[in-house]
Amino acid sequence: MNLRPPRVVIIGAGLSGLYAASLLESKNYDYIVLEARDAPGGRIASIDGVAGSASAATAIDRFDLGPAWFWPQYQRDLECVIRKLDLASFEQFDTGDTLMDRGPHQPPVRLQGYSSSPTSMRLIGGMNALVDALRGALDPERIATGQAVRRLRRVAEHVEVDSEDAGGVTTTWHADHVLLALPPRLAEYSLTIDPPLPPTLAQSWRSTATWMAPHAKYIAIYDRPFWREDGLSGEARSAPGPLGEIHDASMPGASAALFGFLSVPAHLRRTIGSDALKAQCRAQLTRLFGPQAAAPRMEAFKEWAQETYTAVPDDLIAAGHHAVAPASKASYGPWHQRVTGIASEWSTSFPGYLAGAIEAAASGVNALERDHRFSQHVIRPRHAL
């Protein structure tokens, strides 16, 4: 018996959403991607080292405000995707001594550095190069940005997905299956699901911490990596902060940079403010790497805890480890085989990592393929007044 092919709505155009779309498009499957932000990428974001503004344009001189590393030795599926897209990668610079910051009234301690194992790798042009490559291979008409999904309704044999644009205009999309390419906690917090998910499943999604959501990142961009001239790797650790962990973020053939993760808790960062935090970060880099660090050509501060489409109030308390992946779908009830989570937190091997987004997306699409037989259809939106 031939089953009616499902129409698929992907909610979220981060890495997992774009990769799922690429898998569906390669098989001529019917889909639409709804993204609340103005541009795809999700938790992958960058700053242009020349323009100094958040940028998604193809460029080499770009620096990651979100995830930056991958480890091809054991993240084989992600490495395979990067190779197929013909993206250039390079090893994280870690040659030279590392610094231990004991506070503003004590000189930093210089220690022998070490190479990470497995090797941490980065992409030329930053992780936005991966987003650009995936997006560029997709039908642009199948990616709708500025569409914040508000509600899922199970109606008869299909699902109605209500999205809202910046002007408050609602569009209803009809689908047979929904792929949630947004974190479990954010999905449970931001979507009205009618009828509700099974209580145990909803609770597990709500209690799954979103990786990166409590964090903030600071980047200082320079004309050259002057710290290397002094035999330093650019790596530092600090107990007092505000940057608890610092690394060389320079891009080969482009600008030099240092970046750090803030150790100041999210709820305190809100009271301090971004300008004051930037000043404190500059002062710390100056104390560690010398007066040349005091005047970066440009700088950026990314506060993920205040990103509406990343964090929720429960995320303001940082998790010390990656969360265990919850179940990605309902095993019974009206949402069985209708909604599947494919964001990185649903990965069983690499929850929270870029590699987890690839794994979870592939798993979700494979599950659809097992449950249904596909053919191409057109999703027709119905605009509601």
Side-chain angles (χ1 to χ4, degrees):
M1 179 180 68
N2 292 327
L3 300 177
R4 181 174 61 82
R7 294 163 292 180
V8 182
V9 169
I10 302 172
I11 302 176
L15 180 56
S16 61
L18 292 175
Y19 185 59
S22 72
L23 294 175
L24 295 175
E25 185 151 317
S26 69
K27 303 174 184 292
N28 293 320
Y29 295 166
D30 180 26
Y31 72 90
I32 189 75
V33 183
L34 304 179
E35 168 56 46
R37 293 178 171 93
D38 293 333
R43 284 173 278 178
I44 294 177
S46 67
I47 181 174
D48 189 309
V50 177
S53 60
S55 172
T58 302
I60 293 177
D61 209 3
R62 245 179 352 193
F63 302 90
D64 291 306
L65 298 170
W69 296 311
F70 69 104
W71 295 268
Q73 291 94 327
Y74 68 98
Q75 295 178 339
R76 301 297 175 83
D77 290 344
L78 174 58
E79 169 68 1
C80 182
V81 171
I82 288 171
R83 287 187 178 275
K84 285 183 178 180
L85 294 172
D86 197 27
L87 299 176
S89 61
F90 65 99
E91 294 185 12
Q92 167 66 37
F93 183 83
D94 55 14
T95 301
D97 292 342
T98 187
L99 297 175
M100 183 64 66
D101 178 21
R102 297 184 296 182
H105 305 297
Q106 301 182 62
V109 177
R110 188 164 176 156
L111 303 172
Q112 182 177 355
Y114 59 91
S115 298
S116 62
S117 180
T119 304
S120 300
M121 301 294 293
R122 293 167 55 202
L123 292 182
I124 296 292
M127 282 299 165
N128 264 111
L130 178 56
V131 171
D132 292 343
L134 285 170
R135 182 187 186 186
L138 299 175
D139 179 352
E141 294 185 359
R142 290 180 177 267
I143 302 177
T145 58
Q147 293 289 331
V149 174
R150 305 299 188 193
R151 180 186 295 269
L152 306 181
R153 287 188 304 275
R154 178 67 193 276
V155 179
E157 293 303 314
H158 64 270
V159 180
E160 291 184 349
V161 180
D162 290 347
S163 65
E164 184 177 282
D165 66 15
V169 177
T170 297
T171 301
T172 299
W173 311 81
H174 293 267
D176 296 292
H177 202 100
V178 174
L179 295 178
L180 295 174
L182 67 167
R185 176 176 283 172
L186 182 63
E188 168 62 20
Y189 181 87
S190 63
L191 300 179
T192 299
I193 301 178
D194 182 25
L197 294 169
T200 302
L201 182 66
Q203 177 57 39
S204 70
W205 289 9
R206 194 178 306 117
S207 61
T208 301
T210 300
W211 188 245
M212 282 181 54
H215 298 292
K217 193 172 181 178
Y218 171 81
I219 297 178
I221 300 173
Y222 304 92
D223 290 328
R224 74 180 202 285
F226 53 84
W227 52 92
R228 298 182 185 180
E229 300 165 8
D230 194 30
L232 295 174
S233 66
E235 182 175 344
R237 296 291 187 274
S238 175
L243 298 172
E245 180 181 336
I246 300 168
H247 297 275
D248 186 314
S250 303
M251 190 62 61
S255 300
L258 293 168
F259 88 87
F261 299 103
L262 275 85
S263 57
V264 181
H267 67 280
L268 292 180
R269 297 197 302 266
R270 297 182 69 173
T271 64
I272 297 172
S274 61
D275 289 341
L277 285 168
K278 286 180 183 179
Q280 292 177 24
C281 290
R282 289 194 302 272
Q284 183 183 11
L285 293 182
T286 303
R287 188 173 72 249
L288 295 176
F289 298 102
Q292 294 181 87
R297 191 177 76 228
M298 62 186 66
E299 60 185 342
F301 176 75
K302 183 65 173 180
E303 178 56 88
W304 287 102
Q306 294 182 24
E307 281 283 318
T308 302
Y309 300 120
T310 297
V312 304
D314 288 347
D315 287 315
L316 294 182
I317 301 175
H321 55 81
H322 289 269
V324 176
S328 62
K329 53 188 176 182
S331 59
Y332 65 91
W335 294 106
H336 178 54
Q337 296 186 348
R338 297 294 178 178
V339 173
T340 304
I342 64 167
S344 180
E345 282 75 14
W346 274 296
S347 165
T348 56
S349 300
F350 306 106
Y353 289 97
L354 294 169
I358 297 298
E359 180 186 64
S363 177
V365 171
N366 288 339
L368 280 174
E369 197 166 17
R370 289 193 302 269
D371 294 339
H372 303 280
R373 296 181 183 180
F374 289 79
S375 66
Q376 190 171 8
H377 286 266
V378 177
I379 298 180
R380 301 187 183 279
R382 172 171 58 83
H383 292 273
L385 297 179

